[in-house]
Each structure stands twice: as structure tokens, then as C-alpha cells.
Amino acid sequence: MSYRVAMDIGGTFTDVVRYDETTGSVVASKASTTPHDLAEGVFAALGQVVDDPSRISYFVHGTTQGLNALLERKGARVLLLASTGAGDVYRIARGNRDRMFDLRYRKPVPLVPADDVTEVGGRLDWRGEELVPLDEEGVRRAARRVREEGFDAVAVCLLFSYADPRHEVRAGEILREELGDDPPSARHRDGPSCARHRDDVLVVLSHQVAREWREYERTSSAVLEAYTGPVVRRYLAEVERRFAERGLNVPVHVMQSSGGLVNAAHAMRRPLQTLLSGPVGGTMGGVAAARLLGRRNAICVDMGGTSFDVSLVVDGRPDVSAEARIEGHPVLMPVVNLHTIGAGGGSIAYAEAGALRVGPESAGAVPGPACYGRGGTRPTVTDANVVLGRVDPEWFAGGLMDLDVEAAGAAVATLADELALDPLELAEGVCAVANAKMAQAIRTLTVEHGVEPREFSLVAFGGAGAMHAVFIARELGISEVVIPRFPGAFSAWGMLEAEVRRDLTHPYFRPQDVLDGTDLAGRLAALEAQALEALAEQGVPAERRLVEHAVDMRYEGQDYTLTIPLREAGEPAGPGFLTEIAARFAEAHTSRYGHATPEAPVEFVMLRSTGLGSFPRAAAGAPDVTGEAAPAVRDVVFDGAVHRTPVLRRAHLDGELAGPAIVVEETATTVVPPGCLATVDGNGFLIVKVDQ
């Protein structure tokens, strides 16, 4: 008997899914997240589904360690090593304003203060040809400063290193000689890792993080990796060490921000790629759900205890961008487009200027909502749902927690008195405000980018997603809501469905009139060989490796680019390539911006190759219905009226279910309001047709 296990560490709960490779059965559970020591929560959750870790044949998890360090500004102290004359690139940033009419707009505070930037001699030109040799003694002086002042990491970003990295490579060698940073890859490949020596300093080279043009964005990416990397590396090393102690002898895989997987050894070498590791698992679950349901497009919403994440599945694939902004800092790496707001079950409701506000402050895991009985006294979205009767207090989280209904009522009543409202009226108001905020978050990713949400299905998951999904769909005019199996652990399930992924880039600035298709095909073939080798290092069998290629293009004179897929590496060497790729670019430009200029010359900017490695799918069929059970009936409030509503176990559902109804399971609660019809399909998904 062997298991495939996936785990998602959230702000409130740590979710785990176990897939039995022998029987095909799937089990999900959760445990409270332990912020003081995340590994403690990991093993508490694991112990609920696996009694012997040596039976685990495959393990993957998502972590928010790096993201939390960034959000809380608790990352490493970083020394930035820049070329002479370019030390202010990171501080100056860009002159554009993200919010044109916000009089209080301020640029993001740099993660590296001006005093922690050191310039070093040496210069390449834009073609990567050396003009001035690297000042190696200057690099050694920087290393001495790192030791003397106690820096945790060094980010090296030298001019034009994307064209030729020789200066950065040599600087990295010198820094590692002086500072003792032993890269994880040198200690082990796929086996359990040793913890990083406490005196080691992380050395980050910008061309390894993002071999792309634009000095500020590349510098920002390198600084982000240096700032969050030590935290991520220590965490992953500790998890691997503890797993080894418990008999786990397989690699620990980690979710990347791109929606692909890498093993922990690679994640420790490139920790930036794990920044959005946790939330992206839900998107990949949405891709798998869309495939099983035969849907091409889906809006994925993940409502947990702390945050609400929105992402898209378009034409059966995750919506991925080549760059993103995280907390205002640009980062050059493939990232699933996620829009996140502070809205979750733990979001605190409060009065401000006589009006009701909800979030973004969260009660978190400790003390949590008042109904958790851990000392919380401020009302949250979860408390409001308890007061409205939309939660079964005796079978919350599969019976792992008993909710304190009186504490929830007291917290809501206190705020209701402050606003001169009836407690039930206030509770519905809290939910309505939260739903409106979440609907607006979806509009930000859809309507504001020319996507009509009515044409999509809404796939809702997370511990609280199924509770609010139908109400959010009504706000947006969406007619179908899909609640997958184990919605509270769906992000973890999605990680079992994800592929191993490695992304490679190569700068390639060529106007169309000098393009050599044979040379372009040769560069792509070289990238393909690198990608296949990287997949082999990740343990992907040869027959399960695939490489996809694309080029970044723009009209001559433009600053922005569009990524245009290619059929294969050799396509540019074929006849008529330039005419065909220009037509594809014009079509993509029209789709994105509403217009194109087919007669204008185009130019190529960047080559992109993505290696994908698949493993056997872990998705199981629909579970066996365990037989009918007499449902409990309770009073539930909808639109100010009390409805006698059945409370049913999801394992007992079969066929159709007319609202109102409350469906409970181990990881979530689904609310089916009056007028809606829910159906269990052949995959075990609960599909709700929404009345408008």
C-alpha cells in the first residue's frame, strides 16, 4: 500500500489530501496552522491521514513562508551589489504611477535601503561584450562588509548580465569563497537535505533569477529572492529533515508560482519561484476540474480564513503571465495571475464612521473567530454565518471542532448594538459586505480585462468558499457554481494534479528584417535540450517529458510585448514563418487591446521554453454514496426570513437537491439558498444552478 500526499498550508488551517494508489480512494483532512512552527502543523495534519510516512510514494506541498516574510517585512537583510553608476536603479524604480488619481500614492518602500547598496567596477555593453573587467577586489570588499555587518543575503545585479552573465558568475564565485554559501544542489540532489549552516550567506545572481532585460525589474526580482530565500530554505530543509527522521525517503516536491512542481532541492536553489506556492494549487485544481467537467473556462475562487484568491482557467489552461507585481514589487518569472484581497472566514467586522466594514484584518488561527472558543471576542464572517444558522456547530471541520454558538452570538450582538441593528440583520449585512468585496475582486480580474464572467463557471473552494459561492455568483450574473470534492482541501488536491515545470528564457532582440529563422530554431533547440535535462533531474521519465516554446513579440517602437506560442522548436526554420507569426501576433494584439496594425513591422524580444513533466493522474472517481440518513433540520436565515432547512452530509448525497439546504463535509460547508438546484455529477462534484 502506497500513498500520494499533498498539503496546503494556509493562514488558519493546514489542509492535507491522501490518494491511495492501490484502491484509488481519496481522503482529506485538516489541522490548525501553527504559525510559530509551520512544520508542527504539517505533521499534525499528516498524522490524520497517514499512520506510516514510509508508505508515502509522492509528497508535494505549497508553502507561504516566503510570501509571509514579504507581507510582514520579516525577510533577510540584503546587500545589493550593483555596477558602478547603477546603484540607484533599485531605489529610483519607475516613474509611472500605478494609481493616477490617488493623491496619497507612494511608491513601495524598497526592501534594500540605499545604505545597503554597494557598487562594484566592471562593465559590459548591451551586446554582452566586455568594456571594463570586473573589479574582483571590489567584490571581496563587499564580502568583508557582509561578514562584518551581519547581512543574511547578497543580491548581485550587474548591468547587461542577461546578455552575458560572465561578470555575475565570477562575482558569485568570489562571494561564495568568502562567505561559505554552499548551494543545496552541491550537497544533495533529490534526497533529504542538510540544514544550511547558520553562518552561510545566500548569494543570488540576477541572471539566474530572471535572464531578461529591464534593469529595475531584474534587480527587483533578485532582491525579492534574496529577501525571502533564507526563510524558505530553512523551512524546506527543516521539513525534509523531519520527514527523513520519520522514514519518508522520497523527494519533497514544492508548488511553484507558475502552477508547476519542483523538488525541494531546486526550490532551495530558486526560492523565489515558491512565493505564491499555496494559492496556485487551487488554480491547478480548477484546471483539472474544468477538464473533468468538460468546461473550457472557469473562475477559481479560494476563500480561506484569511484571504480570498481569484484566478482564471482559459481554454483549459491556467492564466499565466511572464511577470507580476507582488506588494508593489515587480518580479520577472512565470506567475499564475492571482488577485488576492483580505476577505475570509476570519475577516473581522467592525464599525467605522457609523458604517459596517469587513476586513482586511483577520482573526487568523489564534485566537480565530469568537466561535472557535480560543478567546476571540470580535465578530468575524464565520461568526456571522454561525448566527445565521448556515454552519453546523456540532460537525464543523468534520467534527474536529465544536463551535461556541453563544460566543459568536455575543460578538455579533455587541457590534449590532453599536450600529443600532438587530443581530440577525447585522449578521446578514456582514456576509453581504464580504460577498460584495469578493465579487469586486472577481471583476478586477475579469471585467476590467475584457472578460465576461457570465461566460464562465465559478469553481469555489477553500474552507469558506462553498458557503459564499452562490451569493457571489448572483452578484456577477454567473449561472453555474461548481463545488468540488473536499473543497476545503481543494488546493492540496490540485497539487496532485499539477505537472513538474521548468521555465527557461533567452534574450533575442531581432527586428523582422534581420531575423534568421534557422538561428532562432537553433536557439530554441538548445533551450529544449536544457529543459529536458532539467526534467530528468526532477525524476520525470523520458516518455512523460514535453517542451513548449513561445516568443515575446512587439511592434517596432513599442515597449510592451505579447507572448506568442510556437508549434515546435523547429518552426521558425520553415518557409513562411515570419508571415504566419506576424499574423498570430496581430490576432493576439487585437484580442488583448482591441486593435492591431498588420502592416507595421514586428520585432522579437525574448525566447521562452517551458519543460513539463507529467505523473499519473491521482484524480479518483466519484465516491460511493454511503446510504441515506435522516437529515437534521435547523432554522437558517436567508434574506431576512427564517427557513426550516435540512442539514445533510455530502457523503449521503445522490441526484438532485433543491434549496434551501446546508451540505456539510470534512473540509467545508456548502450553502444552497432557496430557489437553487444542486446536482451531484459522475465525478462527485456538486453543481449548483443559480437563480438570478
Side-chain angles (χ1 to χ4, degrees):
M1 184 179 296
S2 59
Y3 303 127
R4 301 182 68 186
V5 177
M7 188 172 294
D8 176 34
I9 305 170
T12 305
F13 287 104
T14 294
D15 305 316
V16 60
V17 170
R18 186 204 73 194
Y19 172 75
D20 190 321
E21 293 181 321
T22 303
T23 66
S25 63
V26 180
V27 176
S29 189
K30 61 175 55 195
S32 293
T33 296
T34 50
H36 63 284
D37 180 5
L38 290 181
E40 180 181 321
V42 165
F43 291 108
L46 189 64
Q48 295 178 14
V49 296
V50 177
D51 55 359
D52 182 1
S54 65
R55 294 181 178 177
I56 298 176
S57 62
Y58 179 84
F59 179 82
V60 58
H61 86 309
T63 173
T64 56
Q65 278 287 76
L67 183 61
N68 290 343
L70 174 62
L71 295 176
E72 299 172 10
R73 290 298 190 271
K74 294 181 179 178
R77 186 184 178 194
V78 179
L79 180 77
L80 174 58
L81 194 64
S83 297
T84 298
D88 291 330
V89 165
Y90 181 61
R91 183 166 57 89
I92 293 173
R94 294 293 177 192
N96 58 301
R97 292 168 62 98
D98 291 336
R99 298 187 295 276
M100 288 293 294
F101 304 105
D102 184 354
L103 298 179
R104 299 179 180 179
Y105 172 75
R106 295 290 184 274
K107 286 184 179 180
V109 178
L111 299 175
V112 177
D115 290 344
D116 291 345
V117 179
T118 294
E119 297 184 3
V120 64
R123 181 62 63 91
L124 306 175
D125 69 9
W126 65 275
R127 293 163 295 194
E129 297 180 1
E130 186 175 80
L131 301 177
V132 180
L134 178 68
D135 179 5
E136 296 191 3
E137 181 54 36
V139 178
R140 296 188 190 279
R141 285 196 300 272
R144 288 194 291 270
R145 183 184 172 191
V146 169
R147 288 197 305 268
E148 293 167 0
E149 299 184 24
F151 287 89
D152 303 301
V154 182
V156 183
C157 190
L158 305 181
L159 288 175
F160 303 113
S161 60
Y162 63 86
D164 190 321
R166 73 181 90 167
H167 280 186
E168 282 195 356
V169 170
R170 180 55 185 151
E173 291 172 350
I174 294 171
L175 289 168
R176 289 182 177 119
E177 290 172 8
E178 298 284 340
L179 302 173
D181 177 45
D182 184 16
S185 58
R187 303 178 191 176
H188 62 94
R189 272 295 178 187
D190 297 332
S193 68
C194 300
R196 175 169 161 260
H197 191 278
R198 64 181 182 181
D199 293 329
D200 284 358
V201 174
L202 174 63
V203 176
V204 174
L205 307 181
S206 73
H207 75 275
Q208 294 179 343
V209 178
R211 192 169 181 177
E212 302 192 31
W213 69 300
R214 293 195 178 101
E215 295 301 322
Y216 166 59
E217 285 77 5
R218 183 161 48 86
T219 303
S220 174
S221 301
V223 168
L224 272 171
E225 176 150 300
Y227 186 78
T228 61
V231 173
V232 174
R233 289 181 17 150
R234 285 194 295 270
Y235 165 72
L236 291 176
E238 179 66 10
V239 168
E240 282 202 319
R241 182 186 67 80
R242 293 201 193 179
F243 265 124
E245 291 175 350
R246 289 165 170 79
L248 181 75
N249 297 313
V250 296
V252 173
H253 285 81
V254 184
M255 196 77 192
Q256 298 181 97
S257 302
S258 63
L261 304 175
V262 290
N263 60 30
H266 178 81
M268 282 189 276
R269 294 195 296 273
R270 296 273 71 84
L272 181 65
Q273 296 174 0
T274 70
L275 203 60
L276 300 176
S277 173
V280 166
T283 307
M284 301 315 296
V287 171
R291 183 186 71 249
L292 292 171
L293 291 166
R295 310 288 195 270
R296 298 290 297 171
N297 302 316
I299 298 171
C300 305
V301 296
D302 181 359
M303 183 181 179
T306 305
S307 62
F308 177 79
D309 303 314
V310 186
S311 57
L312 301 180
V313 177
V314 180
D315 292 331
R317 301 173 68 94
D319 181 26
V320 178
S321 291
E323 58 184 286
R325 279 187 171 271
I326 301 175
E327 287 294 289
H329 301 283
V331 56
L332 295 175
M333 68 176 181
V335 175
V336 170
N337 283 321
L338 281 168
H339 184 62
T340 302
I341 62 171
S347 294
I348 295 172
Y350 59 98
E352 182 178 77
L356 175 63
R357 300 284 188 268
V358 180
E361 183 183 359
S362 172
V366 179
C371 61
Y372 284 9
R374 297 173 179 166
T377 58
R378 302 175 67 184
T380 66
V381 173
T382 297
D383 293 315
N385 279 298
V386 169
V387 169
L388 294 172
R390 299 177 185 177
V391 177
D392 185 351
E394 298 177 357
W395 214 71
F396 185 73
L400 295 177
M401 294 180 65
D402 289 328
L403 299 185
D404 190 335
V405 178
E406 292 185 1
V412 169
T414 299
L415 181 58
D417 291 342
E418 185 177 348
L419 292 170
L421 294 172
D422 178 79
L424 291 178
E425 185 181 7
L426 175 74
E428 279 208 288
V430 169
C431 292
V433 170
N435 292 336
K437 290 179 66 175
M438 291 183 283
Q440 183 55 41
I442 294 174
R443 293 188 186 98
T444 300
L445 204 61
T446 56
V447 176
E448 295 182 13
H449 290 82
V451 175
E452 174 53 67
R454 290 182 177 87
E455 299 174 359
F456 286 62
S457 297
L458 184 69
V459 180
F461 48 95
M467 200 178 303
H468 291 260
V470 174
F471 304 97
I472 297 170
R474 282 175 173 170
E475 290 253 357
L476 298 166
I478 296 173
S479 61
E480 181 181 76
V481 169
V482 177
I483 311 298
R485 294 178 61 192
F486 319 115
F490 186 67
S491 289
W493 181 82
M495 293 175 194
L496 290 180
E497 290 290 307
E499 298 174 306
V500 172
R501 174 169 175 154
R502 290 294 304 277
D503 293 278
L504 302 173
T505 60
H506 185 79
Y508 196 78
F509 295 91
R510 300 288 191 283
Q512 69 176 48
D513 56 353
V514 299
L515 179 71
D516 182 340
T518 301
D519 178 72
L520 174 55
R523 301 292 181 97
L524 290 170
L527 286 177
E528 179 168 324
Q530 293 178 42
L532 291 173
E533 182 182 356
L535 293 176
E537 291 177 357
Q538 297 288 312
V540 179
E543 67 275 10
R544 291 187 172 273
R545 302 173 200 159
L546 170 70
V547 181
E548 298 178 344
H549 303 281
V551 292
D552 284 3
M553 297 176 63
R554 63 186 179 188
Y555 289 122
E556 287 189 12
Q558 281 184 333
D559 178 62
Y560 54 86
T561 63
L562 292 174
T563 301
I564 309 301
L566 299 175
R567 286 191 290 270
E568 61 180 2
E571 182 184 355
F577 168 72
L578 188 58
T579 300
E580 184 173 346
I581 199 68
R584 280 189 235 164
F585 174 75
E587 182 181 354
H589 202 281
T590 301
S591 176
R592 178 69 180 271
Y593 299 109
H595 67 91
T597 312
E599 67 278 7
V602 297
E603 62 181 356
F604 298 79
V605 176
M606 187 72 61
L607 309 183
R608 300 187 184 277
S609 296
T610 300
L612 298 171
S614 62
F615 290 107
R617 298 289 183 186
D624 295 331
V625 178
T626 58
E628 296 184 2
V633 179
R634 59 184 298 113
D635 290 338
V636 183
V637 177
F638 295 100
D639 297 323
V642 176
H643 295 256
R644 295 292 290 169
T645 302
V647 180
L648 305 101
R649 300 282 178 93
R650 183 162 180 173
H652 300 159
L653 293 183
D654 192 16
E656 295 183 344
L657 174 66
I662 305 296
V663 180
V664 297
E665 55 185 305
E666 287 79 0
T667 64
T669 297
T670 301
V671 177
V672 183
C676 297
L677 182 66
T679 306
V680 180
D681 79 344
N683 296 299
F685 294 132
L686 189 61
I687 301 175
V688 183
K689 297 301 181 182
V690 182
D691 65 321
Q692 300 295 333

